[in-house]
Amino acid sequence: MDAVEDDCGAIGSGGLPVAGARLDPFRLSIIVPMFNEEEAVDPFLDRLLPVVAGLAGDFEVLCIDDGSRDATVARVLARRGAEPRVKLIALARNFGKEAALSAGIDHAEGDAVVAIDADLQQPPELIGRMIERWREGFDVVACTRTDRSADSRARGFVSRTFYRVFNRIAEQPIPPETGDFRLMDRAVIDALRQLPERNRFMKGLFAWVGFRVTTLPYDHIQRTAGASKFRFWKLWNFALDGITAFSTFPLRVWSYLGFAVAILAILYASFIVLRTLIFGADVPGFASILTAVLFLGGVQLISLGILGEYVGRILVETKRRPVYLVRAAWGIGSDAG
Ligand code: UDP
Ligand code: MG
């Protein structure tokens, strides 16, 4: 609270914000993506609201309904009747958690913004400590889970493998076990809003923007209500989205592989020519030809497929469709109603 706050003036010489400047009182935004969370809404808000009310006088809980097909919207609106600082954006359909988070980031007005899931797997009580760290001068306070036992073994394995691969080849590594549960300063939110891509792999974008990041450990517990919305295929595609968005390694690796295969082919060809010159021609070779043809055919198909993964994503980006569409909003912007 010393050195950092010393260089606090709201605006630096060039009109740029001074690092570490923290307004007091400040506004806190909590953004909560919700997809079919009707059972979770009440327990979640019952636990969250007392916590945030004690932390910041001015706060908003911005719920983003990601096209739920249950009573999520009605439940949130019922709570909004008693607490107008609960706000709601309803997306036009299910756009996915990343899009819902983007909607929250686009509409949150706070000086500090916390993203949290509705399922109480992440303890709202931690928000107080996140704000302390933010006040110390960190721009991002990312919570890292210490315990994965709430998730299935298979999911833990897939997730660990993903981080290992991703961090090997991506331009900006993601700290393992950090999720979307995090506090971000206004400057980080503004930076995220500048990123133009349609593919919102938030973990990657969070890492890419940088800023001064610190982590807070927490126990990730069982869901209180409802079921996880993620399925294997969704996670697999999610992983592909992440890797293709932040690494070109899968594209480039083929030239090296091709080079290696070509060298091996030359060596083998020289060997065959020499052997034929010395020992004369004999008939065999069927097995080696078949092996080479099948192997190279397979390798070519794989490389084409990977090319396809990237080309498909280029197509999506060039269409420049919005990341999400808003069907209705309550309490957002000036026409708060
Ligand atoms: N979620 C969402 N859209 C989706 C899937 C999930 O907004 O398409 C929300 C969900 O309501 C929850 C959060 O994202 O608040 C995390 O989802 P979930 O708990 O199912 O994921 P997990 O904890 O298993 O990663
Ligand atoms: Mg969850």
Side-chain angles (χ1 to χ4, degrees), residues 184-200:
M184 290 162 285
D185 181 61
R186 183 82 244 160
V188 178
I189 295 293
D190 290 342
L192 287 169
R193 291 183 58 182
Q194 280 177 28
L195 302 180
E197 56 249 79
R198 313 290 106 176
N199 175 0
R200 309 303 287 191

Side-chain angles (χ1 to χ4, degrees), residues 129-171:
R129 293 195 24 224
M130 294 160 89
I131 289 172
E132 278 168 26
R133 306 309 301 273
W134 172 69
R135 285 189 175 286
E136 285 165 21
F138 290 102
D139 302 308
V140 176
V141 186
C143 296
T144 55
R145 36 165 89 185
T146 46
D147 176 12
R148 250 192 188 274
S149 55
D151 285 339
S152 70
R153 274 260 193 85
R155 183 161 172 185
F157 172 77
V158 171
S159 158
R160 272 192 306 278
T161 314
F162 169 75
Y163 284 113
R164 209 169 297 145
V165 173
F166 186 96
N167 288 344
R168 266 273 161 100
I169 64 179
E171 41 185 312

Side-chain angles (χ1 to χ4, degrees), residues 32-37 64-66 94-98 100-101 116-119 121-122 145 151 155 220 223 227-230 234-235:
V32 197
M34 294 179 174
F35 176 51
N36 293 346
E37 299 283 10
I64 299 99
D65 170 62
D66 188 14
N94 181 239
F95 282 91
K97 183 184 175 188
E98 310 297 295
L101 268 181
I116 185 170
D117 290 351
D119 56 13
Q121 287 192 290
Q122 305 152 338
R145 36 165 89 185
D151 285 339
R155 183 161 172 185
H220 195 72
R223 238 177 187 277
S228 169
K229 309 296 180 295
F230 283 100
K234 254 177 128 176
L235 277 181

Side-chain angles (χ1 to χ4, degrees), residues 323-334:
V323 176
Y324 57 86
L325 291 172
V326 175
R327 170 173 71 79
W330 290 264
I332 306 298
S334 48

Side-chain angles (χ1 to χ4, degrees), residues 4-5 8-10 18-26 111 131 133-140 183 185-187 212:
V4 185
E5 270 187 353
C8 286
V18 170
R22 299 289 180 249
L23 296 169
D24 208 10
F26 70 99
D111 304 304
I131 289 172
R133 306 309 301 273
W134 172 69
R135 285 189 175 286
E136 285 165 21
F138 290 102
D139 302 308
V140 176
L183 177 148
D185 181 61
R186 183 82 244 160
R212 277 163 311 166

